[in-house]
């Protein structure tokens, strides 16, 4: 029998959260509003930090950019008027991975204004 050497190719560093931890992110956004670019930017940032996370996008209603983590609404553009900061979403995902209670993200960056 061979010794258990473990997998070194995909093993996280000690203390690092293992990607793909069962956290599910659903982002519902208004496509006609042009919010797909904001979704793709957010998806890229999340995947960079947590490559194994499950992310689903859905078409939402007018003005929508709503984010759910494991079924809980954590951000609403309809309520906040802007888009979430990536660092706030990354922190919410970290909390979900660690089994900590999720809080709504209330910080938002202002939507783009064309002058």
């Amino acid at each position: 029998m061979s010794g258990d050497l473990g997998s070194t190719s995909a093993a996280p560093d000690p203390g690092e959260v293992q990607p793909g931890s069962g956290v599910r992110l659903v982002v519902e956004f208004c496509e006609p509003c042009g919010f797909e670019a904001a979704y793709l930017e957010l998806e890229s940032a999340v995947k960079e930090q947590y490559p194994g996370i499950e992310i689903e996008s859905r078409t939402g209603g007018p003005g929508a950019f709503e984010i759910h983590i494991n079924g809980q609404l954590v951000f609403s553009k309809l309520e906040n008027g802007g888009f979430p900061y990536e660092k706030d979403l990354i922190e919410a995902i970290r909390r979900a991975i660690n089994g900590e209670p999720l809080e709504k993200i209330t910080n938002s960056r202002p939507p783009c204004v064309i002058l």
Side-chain angles (χ1 to χ4, degrees):
M1 299 239 149
S2 63
D4 183 14
L5 300 176
S7 172
T8 57
S9 62
D13 294 332
E16 189 174 277
V17 175
Q18 188 170 14
S21 60
V23 172
R24 180 171 182 186
L25 194 68
V26 176
V27 182
E28 185 179 313
F29 63 91
C30 174
E31 252 183 274
C33 302
F35 295 166
E36 184 174 18
Y39 164 73
L40 293 173
E41 182 181 323
L42 200 64
E43 178 190 41
S44 176
V46 169
K47 283 286 193 180
E48 185 176 312
Q49 190 77 25
Y50 300 108
I53 195 167
E54 181 184 349
I55 303 177
E56 178 185 341
S57 66
R58 296 182 183 164
T59 301
F65 197 90
E66 316 301 290
I67 302 173
H68 294 80
I69 297 177
N70 293 341
Q72 181 178 337
L73 180 66
V74 295
F75 181 83
S76 171
K77 183 179 179 302
L78 297 173
E79 292 175 9
N80 293 323
F83 294 99
Y85 288 101
E86 293 167 2
K87 66 177 181 60
D88 292 335
L89 182 57
I90 296 294
E91 173 62 16
I93 293 168
R94 184 201 63 77
R95 291 175 65 85
I97 288 169
N98 291 334
E100 299 172 29
L102 296 177
E103 297 173 6
K104 261 200 170 165
I105 298 169
T106 55
N107 284 341
S108 65
R109 43 188 177 122
C112 217
V113 176
I114 299 173
L115 300 175

